[in-house]
Amino acid sequence: MPTFIVILGPPGVGKGTQAEILSKRTGLAHISSGDLFRENLKNQTELGKLAQIFMSKGELVPDDVTIGMIRERLSRPDCSVGALLDGFPRTPIQAQALESMLAEFNGSVDAVPVIIVDEDILVQRLSNRWTCRANGHIFNEKTNPPKETGKCDFDGSELYQRDDDRPETVKHRIQVYLDQTAQLISYYRDKGKLVEIDGMQSIEQVTHALESALKK
Ligand code: AP5
Ligand code: MG
């Protein structure tokens, strides 16, 4: 049976960082809805152009568009063992759609770690984040710097700052998270799937906490 893990938490909490590490260690596919939208934008697809209208304002892309994109991603062969979902679902409608999609693959949501960090730290982390142009590898000027300024350690590509990481947009993204996504915490708690993870520790310590929680 495939394993599906949903990583929940506000913008900047470390979902992408942890999913990247855990994907390498477990062999589960890493599905980041934000990365998929950014890849579409880079390739100037219709989906990418539509998503950009919402992303630039820090709003959620409409559910039907997002669900369609994830459905296609889940059907690719690397998901046959399961996946770490980073940034999806973000609304109750998306959470229900995920359940029916996974049922088609004989799977279900196995665990939902929610990473918890103080709000002022989120803004700080995002204003110091640098992302790799080629593959979305994540760095931080203060807490996780690349070996060479402006260059990705893994593929040598250029590092850039996401335009939705400006403090005003970040504050709005956090509000959107509180209004539309945070309710998924109780949704998954009621299903007995939720595990709380302290995100105020180093990247390695958070990985360790996630691994211990997921073993159970
Ligand atoms: P998305 O790309 O998913 O952004 P997000 O959820 O806002 O989260 P981030 O990627 O900003 O943060 P993260 O938690 O991944 O943190 P990271 O690991 O990078 O979505 C972007 C947009 O796309 C949305 O606003 C929306 O418009 C749209 N979208 C996406 N999914 C959607 C959906 N399902 N429905 C509708 N619309 C959707 O870490 C942040 C920084 O902190 C890095 O610099 C990192 O190095 C550093 N860091 C990480 N962990 C630590 C640590 N423990 N200690 C110190 N520093 C750390
Ligand atoms: Mg991310």
Side-chain angles (χ1 to χ4, degrees):
M1 274 250 286
T3 304
F4 293 97
I5 314 272
V6 168
I7 305 181
L8 268 187
V13 83
K15 302 182 294 296
T17 300
Q18 295 300 333
E20 196 176 306
I21 298 170
L22 292 175
S23 167
K24 280 192 195 124
R25 294 197 187 172
T26 59
L28 297 175
H30 173 194
I31 302 185
S32 157
S33 41
D35 285 353
L36 290 170
F37 286 131
R38 283 182 287 276
E39 204 177 296
N40 272 279
L41 181 66
K42 194 165 80 180
N43 298 329
Q44 284 291 297
T45 67
E46 289 309 312
L47 173 68
K49 288 183 215 166
L50 174 73
Q52 174 63 7
I53 300 171
F54 298 92
M55 292 171 83
S56 62
K57 293 186 284 202
E59 299 287 345
L60 295 187
V61 179
D63 282 334
D64 55 340
V65 177
T66 307
I67 291 166
M69 177 180 75
I70 296 294
R71 178 188 298 282
E72 187 282 321
R73 180 65 187 86
L74 281 168
S75 71
R76 293 192 217 161
D78 64 331
C79 296
S80 60
V81 288
L84 295 151
L85 290 142
D86 150 18
F88 182 91
R90 275 195 217 229
T91 64
I93 290 176
Q94 292 182 13
Q96 277 146 21
L98 179 63
E99 274 171 42
S100 24
M101 290 191 276
L102 295 184
E104 291 170 31
F105 301 105
N106 294 320
S108 59
V109 173
D110 294 290
V112 182
V114 55
I115 310 178
I116 301 164
V117 162
D118 295 345
E119 192 172 316
D120 52 331
I121 302 288
L122 299 174
V123 182
Q124 256 177 48
R125 283 190 187 173
L126 292 180
S127 50
N128 293 311
R129 171 165 65 184
W130 289 85
T131 304
C132 125
R133 188 75 76 187
N135 294 301
H137 294 117
I138 304 159
F139 298 89
N140 189 289
E141 219 169 286
K142 298 267 157 57
T143 61
N144 182 27
K147 294 195 182 87
E148 204 179 314
T149 308
K151 205 166 162 186
C152 177
D153 289 358
F154 304 103
D155 54 36
S157 82
E158 178 208 10
L159 300 181
Y160 75 103
Q161 290 197 287
R162 278 170 46 180
D163 69 359
D164 59 349
D165 280 349
R166 278 171 281 121
E168 326 77 82
T169 318
V170 167
K171 291 206 176 100
H172 185 62
R173 284 162 58 201
I174 294 172
Q175 195 54 50
V176 168
Y177 172 81
L178 295 173
D179 293 343
Q180 301 190 52
T181 307
Q183 54 191 305
L184 296 183
I185 295 174
S186 51
Y187 176 86
Y188 285 118
R189 185 182 287 124
D190 291 348
K191 292 181 182 291
K193 310 274 185 196
L194 196 82
V195 212
E196 292 186 9
I197 304 289
D198 174 11
M200 300 285 287
Q201 323 175 65
S202 71
I203 293 175
E204 297 73 44
Q205 286 168 323
V206 176
T207 307
H208 184 72
L210 279 163
E211 285 180 325
S212 321
L214 294 177
K215 266 190 207 124
K216 296 179 197 152

mmCIF file with all atom_site columns, all heavy atoms in Angstrom, residues 162-175:
data_model
loop_
_atom_site.group_PDB
_atom_site.id
_atom_site.type_symbol
_atom_site.label_atom_id
_atom_site.label_alt_id
_atom_site.label_comp_id
_atom_site.label_asym_id
_atom_site.label_entity_id
_atom_site.label_seq_id
_atom_site.pdbx_PDB_ins_code
_atom_site.Cartn_x
_atom_site.Cartn_y
_atom_site.Cartn_z
_atom_site.occupancy
_atom_site.B_iso_or_equiv
_atom_site.pdbx_formal_charge
_atom_site.auth_seq_id
_atom_site.auth_comp_id
_atom_site.auth_asym_id
_atom_site.auth_atom_id
_atom_site.pdbx_PDB_model_num
ATOM 1   N N   . ARG A 1 162 ? 11.584 34.838 -4.125 1.00 0.00 ? 162 ARG A N   1
ATOM 2   C CA  . ARG A 1 162 ? 10.212 34.767 -4.635 1.00 0.00 ? 162 ARG A CA  1
ATOM 3   C C   . ARG A 1 162 ? 9.517  36.108 -4.460 1.00 0.00 ? 162 ARG A C   1
ATOM 4   O O   . ARG A 1 162 ? 9.661  36.749 -3.436 1.00 0.00 ? 162 ARG A O   1
ATOM 5   C CB  . ARG A 1 162 ? 9.437  33.662 -3.878 1.00 0.00 ? 162 ARG A CB  1
ATOM 6   C CG  . ARG A 1 162 ? 9.707  32.281 -4.445 1.00 0.00 ? 162 ARG A CG  1
ATOM 7   C CD  . ARG A 1 162 ? 9.168  31.162 -3.595 1.00 0.00 ? 162 ARG A CD  1
ATOM 8   N NE  . ARG A 1 162 ? 7.809  31.340 -3.119 1.00 0.00 ? 162 ARG A NE  1
ATOM 9   C CZ  . ARG A 1 162 ? 7.176  30.446 -2.355 1.00 0.00 ? 162 ARG A CZ  1
ATOM 10  N NH1 . ARG A 1 162 ? 7.778  29.313 -2.015 1.00 0.00 ? 162 ARG A NH1 1
ATOM 11  N NH2 . ARG A 1 162 ? 5.950  30.664 -1.942 1.00 0.00 ? 162 ARG A NH2 1
ATOM 12  N N   . ASP A 1 163 ? 8.724  36.520 -5.472 1.00 0.00 ? 163 ASP A N   1
ATOM 13  C CA  . ASP A 1 163 ? 8.141  37.858 -5.334 1.00 0.00 ? 163 ASP A CA  1
ATOM 14  C C   . ASP A 1 163 ? 6.983  37.876 -4.333 1.00 0.00 ? 163 ASP A C   1
ATOM 15  O O   . ASP A 1 163 ? 6.555  38.939 -3.898 1.00 0.00 ? 163 ASP A O   1
ATOM 16  C CB  . ASP A 1 163 ? 7.821  38.515 -6.691 1.00 0.00 ? 163 ASP A CB  1
ATOM 17  C CG  . ASP A 1 163 ? 6.683  37.840 -7.408 1.00 0.00 ? 163 ASP A CG  1
ATOM 18  O OD1 . ASP A 1 163 ? 6.166  36.847 -6.857 1.00 0.00 ? 163 ASP A OD1 1
ATOM 19  O OD2 . ASP A 1 163 ? 6.309  38.308 -8.500 1.00 0.00 ? 163 ASP A OD2 1
ATOM 20  N N   . ASP A 1 164 ? 6.496  36.684 -3.921 1.00 0.00 ? 164 ASP A N   1
ATOM 21  C CA  . ASP A 1 164 ? 5.472  36.688 -2.854 1.00 0.00 ? 164 ASP A CA  1
ATOM 22  C C   . ASP A 1 164 ? 6.106  36.641 -1.455 1.00 0.00 ? 164 ASP A C   1
ATOM 23  O O   . ASP A 1 164 ? 5.408  36.477 -0.464 1.00 0.00 ? 164 ASP A O   1
ATOM 24  C CB  . ASP A 1 164 ? 4.447  35.550 -3.044 1.00 0.00 ? 164 ASP A CB  1
ATOM 25  C CG  . ASP A 1 164 ? 5.039  34.156 -3.046 1.00 0.00 ? 164 ASP A CG  1
ATOM 26  O OD1 . ASP A 1 164 ? 6.284  34.018 -3.112 1.00 0.00 ? 164 ASP A OD1 1
ATOM 27  O OD2 . ASP A 1 164 ? 4.259  33.181 -2.978 1.00 0.00 ? 164 ASP A OD2 1
ATOM 28  N N   . ASP A 1 165 ? 7.428  36.786 -1.371 1.00 0.00 ? 165 ASP A N   1
ATOM 29  C CA  . ASP A 1 165 ? 8.095  36.788 -0.062 1.00 0.00 ? 165 ASP A CA  1
ATOM 30  C C   . ASP A 1 165 ? 8.311  38.196 0.495  1.00 0.00 ? 165 ASP A C   1
ATOM 31  O O   . ASP A 1 165 ? 8.960  38.364 1.525  1.00 0.00 ? 165 ASP A O   1
ATOM 32  C CB  . ASP A 1 165 ? 9.438  36.040 -0.147 1.00 0.00 ? 165 ASP A CB  1
ATOM 33  C CG  . ASP A 1 165 ? 9.229  34.519 -0.078 1.00 0.00 ? 165 ASP A CG  1
ATOM 34  O OD1 . ASP A 1 165 ? 8.108  34.083 0.244  1.00 0.00 ? 165 ASP A OD1 1
ATOM 35  O OD2 . ASP A 1 165 ? 10.201 33.780 -0.332 1.00 0.00 ? 165 ASP A OD2 1
ATOM 36  N N   . ARG A 1 166 ? 7.762  39.212 -0.178 1.00 0.00 ? 166 ARG A N   1
ATOM 37  C CA  . ARG A 1 166 ? 7.823  40.560 0.394  1.00 0.00 ? 166 ARG A CA  1
ATOM 38  C C   . ARG A 1 166 ? 6.969  40.588 1.659  1.00 0.00 ? 166 ARG A C   1
ATOM 39  O O   . ARG A 1 166 ? 5.895  39.965 1.682  1.00 0.00 ? 166 ARG A O   1
ATOM 40  C CB  . ARG A 1 166 ? 7.299  41.594 -0.615 1.00 0.00 ? 166 ARG A CB  1
ATOM 41  C CG  . ARG A 1 166 ? 8.363  41.996 -1.635 1.00 0.00 ? 166 ARG A CG  1
ATOM 42  C CD  . ARG A 1 166 ? 7.801  42.852 -2.756 1.00 0.00 ? 166 ARG A CD  1
ATOM 43  N NE  . ARG A 1 166 ? 7.107  42.003 -3.718 1.00 0.00 ? 166 ARG A NE  1
ATOM 44  C CZ  . ARG A 1 166 ? 5.817  42.134 -4.037 1.00 0.00 ? 166 ARG A CZ  1
ATOM 45  N NH1 . ARG A 1 166 ? 5.069  43.059 -3.489 1.00 0.00 ? 166 ARG A NH1 1
ATOM 46  N NH2 . ARG A 1 166 ? 5.273  41.320 -4.921 1.00 0.00 ? 166 ARG A NH2 1
ATOM 47  N N   . PRO A 1 167 ? 7.429  41.295 2.736  1.00 0.00 ? 167 PRO A N   1
ATOM 48  C CA  . PRO A 1 167 ? 6.733  41.233 4.014  1.00 0.00 ? 167 PRO A CA  1
ATOM 49  C C   . PRO A 1 167 ? 5.224  41.488 3.931  1.00 0.00 ? 167 PRO A C   1
ATOM 50  O O   . PRO A 1 167 ? 4.444  40.783 4.570  1.00 0.00 ? 167 PRO A O   1
ATOM 51  C CB  . PRO A 1 167 ? 7.434  42.286 4.861  1.00 0.00 ? 167 PRO A CB  1
ATOM 52  C CG  . PRO A 1 167 ? 8.817  42.341 4.290  1.00 0.00 ? 167 PRO A CG  1
ATOM 53  C CD  . PRO A 1 167 ? 8.682  42.063 2.822  1.00 0.00 ? 167 PRO A CD  1
ATOM 54  N N   . GLU A 1 168 ? 4.751  42.452 3.092  1.00 0.00 ? 168 GLU A N   1
ATOM 55  C CA  . GLU A 1 168 ? 3.297  42.727 3.027  1.00 0.00 ? 168 GLU A CA  1
ATOM 56  C C   . GLU A 1 168 ? 2.556  41.500 2.503  1.00 0.00 ? 168 GLU A C   1
ATOM 57  O O   . GLU A 1 168 ? 1.495  41.119 3.027  1.00 0.00 ? 168 GLU A O   1
ATOM 58  C CB  . GLU A 1 168 ? 2.910  43.869 2.068  1.00 0.00 ? 168 GLU A CB  1
ATOM 59  C CG  . GLU A 1 168 ? 3.842  45.043 1.898  1.00 0.00 ? 168 GLU A CG  1
ATOM 60  C CD  . GLU A 1 168 ? 5.032  44.719 1.007  1.00 0.00 ? 168 GLU A CD  1
ATOM 61  O OE1 . GLU A 1 168 ? 4.929  44.751 -0.246 1.00 0.00 ? 168 GLU A OE1 1
ATOM 62  O OE2 . GLU A 1 168 ? 6.106  44.449 1.617  1.00 0.00 ? 168 GLU A OE2 1
ATOM 63  N N   . THR A 1 169 ? 3.127  40.871 1.442  1.00 0.00 ? 169 THR A N   1
ATOM 64  C CA  . THR A 1 169 ? 2.467  39.701 0.863  1.00 0.00 ? 169 THR A CA  1
ATOM 65  C C   . THR A 1 169 ? 2.523  38.518 1.832  1.00 0.00 ? 169 THR A C   1
ATOM 66  O O   . THR A 1 169 ? 1.560  37.766 1.959  1.00 0.00 ? 169 THR A O   1
ATOM 67  C CB  . THR A 1 169 ? 3.122  39.321 -0.495 1.00 0.00 ? 169 THR A CB  1
ATOM 68  O OG1 . THR A 1 169 ? 3.369  40.516 -1.222 1.00 0.00 ? 169 THR A OG1 1
ATOM 69  C CG2 . THR A 1 169 ? 2.233  38.405 -1.316 1.00 0.00 ? 169 THR A CG2 1
ATOM 70  N N   . VAL A 1 170 ? 3.638  38.395 2.540  1.00 0.00 ? 170 VAL A N   1
ATOM 71  C CA  . VAL A 1 170 ? 3.769  37.298 3.507  1.00 0.00 ? 170 VAL A CA  1
ATOM 72  C C   . VAL A 1 170 ? 2.693  37.434 4.587  1.00 0.00 ? 170 VAL A C   1
ATOM 73  O O   . VAL A 1 170 ? 2.023  36.457 4.936  1.00 0.00 ? 170 VAL A O   1
ATOM 74  C CB  . VAL A 1 170 ? 5.176  37.290 4.159  1.00 0.00 ? 170 VAL A CB  1
ATOM 75  C CG1 . VAL A 1 170 ? 5.211  36.380 5.373  1.00 0.00 ? 170 VAL A CG1 1
ATOM 76  C CG2 . VAL A 1 170 ? 6.224  36.858 3.136  1.00 0.00 ? 170 VAL A CG2 1
ATOM 77  N N   . LYS A 1 171 ? 2.482  38.676 5.071  1.00 0.00 ? 171 LYS A N   1
ATOM 78  C CA  . LYS A 1 171 ? 1.472  38.870 6.122  1.00 0.00 ? 171 LYS A CA  1
ATOM 79  C C   . LYS A 1 171 ? 0.102  38.450 5.604  1.00 0.00 ? 171 LYS A C   1
ATOM 80  O O   . LYS A 1 171 ? -0.678 37.814 6.301  1.00 0.00 ? 171 LYS A O   1
ATOM 81  C CB  . LYS A 1 171 ? 1.463  40.319 6.596  1.00 0.00 ? 171 LYS A CB  1
ATOM 82  C CG  . LYS A 1 171 ? 2.744  40.619 7.344  1.00 0.00 ? 171 LYS A CG  1
ATOM 83  C CD  . LYS A 1 171 ? 2.599  41.749 8.354  1.00 0.00 ? 171 LYS A CD  1
ATOM 84  C CE  . LYS A 1 171 ? 3.907  41.896 9.107  1.00 0.00 ? 171 LYS A CE  1
ATOM 85  N NZ  . LYS A 1 171 ? 4.743  42.989 8.606  1.00 0.00 ? 171 LYS A NZ  1
ATOM 86  N N   . HIS A 1 172 ? -0.191 38.785 4.343  1.00 0.00 ? 172 HIS A N   1
ATOM 87  C CA  . HIS A 1 172 ? -1.481 38.402 3.772  1.00 0.00 ? 172 HIS A CA  1
ATOM 88  C C   . HIS A 1 172 ? -1.563 36.878 3.616  1.00 0.00 ? 172 HIS A C   1
ATOM 89  O O   . HIS A 1 172 ? -2.596 36.274 3.911  1.00 0.00 ? 172 HIS A O   1
ATOM 90  C CB  . HIS A 1 172 ? -1.711 39.109 2.436  1.00 0.00 ? 172 HIS A CB  1
ATOM 91  C CG  . HIS A 1 172 ? -3.080 38.832 1.887  1.00 0.00 ? 172 HIS A CG  1
ATOM 92  N ND1 . HIS A 1 172 ? -4.236 39.205 2.546  1.00 0.00 ? 172 HIS A ND1 1
ATOM 93  C CD2 . HIS A 1 172 ? -3.492 38.157 0.779  1.00 0.00 ? 172 HIS A CD2 1
ATOM 94  C CE1 . HIS A 1 172 ? -5.291 38.793 1.863  1.00 0.00 ? 172 HIS A CE1 1
ATOM 95  N NE2 . HIS A 1 172 ? -4.864 38.147 0.789  1.00 0.00 ? 172 HIS A NE2 1
ATOM 96  N N   . ARG A 1 173 ? -0.466 36.247 3.180  1.00 0.00 ? 173 ARG A N   1
ATOM 97  C CA  . ARG A 1 173 ? -0.471 34.778 3.028  1.00 0.00 ? 173 ARG A CA  1
ATOM 98  C C   . ARG A 1 173 ? -0.735 34.106 4.378  1.00 0.00 ? 173 ARG A C   1
ATOM 99  O O   . ARG A 1 173 ? -1.429 33.098 4.456  1.00 0.00 ? 173 ARG A O   1
ATOM 100 C CB  . ARG A 1 173 ? 0.863  34.301 2.442  1.00 0.00 ? 173 ARG A CB  1
ATOM 101 C CG  . ARG A 1 173 ? 0.972  34.576 0.935  1.00 0.00 ? 173 ARG A CG  1
ATOM 102 C CD  . ARG A 1 173 ? 2.416  34.518 0.436  1.00 0.00 ? 173 ARG A CD  1
ATOM 103 N NE  . ARG A 1 173 ? 3.067  33.253 0.687  1.00 0.00 ? 173 ARG A NE  1
ATOM 104 C CZ  . ARG A 1 173 ? 4.381  33.091 0.725  1.00 0.00 ? 173 ARG A CZ  1
ATOM 105 N NH1 . ARG A 1 173 ? 5.199  34.113 0.526  1.00 0.00 ? 173 ARG A NH1 1
ATOM 106 N NH2 . ARG A 1 173 ? 4.897  31.899 0.972  1.00 0.00 ? 173 ARG A NH2 1
ATOM 107 N N   . ILE A 1 174 ? -0.168 34.672 5.448  1.00 0.00 ? 174 ILE A N   1
ATOM 108 C CA  . ILE A 1 174 ? -0.394 34.089 6.779  1.00 0.00 ? 174 ILE A CA  1
ATOM 109 C C   . ILE A 1 174 ? -1.873 34.222 7.151  1.00 0.00 ? 174 ILE A C   1
ATOM 110 O O   . ILE A 1 174 ? -2.494 33.284 7.663  1.00 0.00 ? 174 ILE A O   1
ATOM 111 C CB  . ILE A 1 174 ? 0.518  34.754 7.843  1.00 0.00 ? 174 ILE A CB  1
ATOM 112 C CG1 . ILE A 1 174 ? 1.983  34.423 7.535  1.00 0.00 ? 174 ILE A CG1 1
ATOM 113 C CG2 . ILE A 1 174 ? 0.136  34.307 9.253  1.00 0.00 ? 174 ILE A CG2 1
ATOM 114 C CD1 . ILE A 1 174 ? 3.003  35.168 8.384  1.00 0.00 ? 174 ILE A CD1 1
ATOM 115 N N   . GLN A 1 175 ? -2.475 35.384 6.825  1.00 0.00 ? 175 GLN A N   1
ATOM 116 C CA  . GLN A 1 175 ? -3.897 35.584 7.125  1.00 0.00 ? 175 GLN A CA  1
ATOM 117 C C   . GLN A 1 175 ? -4.761 34.603 6.332  1.00 0.00 ? 175 GLN A C   1
ATOM 118 O O   . GLN A 1 175 ? -5.694 34.006 6.875  1.00 0.00 ? 175 GLN A O   1
ATOM 119 C CB  . GLN A 1 175 ? -4.284 37.047 6.819  1.00 0.00 ? 175 GLN A CB  1
ATOM 120 C CG  . GLN A 1 175 ? -5.623 37.454 7.420  1.00 0.00 ? 175 GLN A CG  1
ATOM 121 C CD  . GLN A 1 175 ? -5.698 37.187 8.936  1.00 0.00 ? 175 GLN A CD  1
ATOM 122 O OE1 . GLN A 1 175 ? -4.798 37.585 9.681  1.00 0.00 ? 175 GLN A OE1 1
ATOM 123 N NE2 . GLN A 1 175 ? -6.730 36.484 9.390  1.00 0.00 ? 175 GLN A NE2 1
#
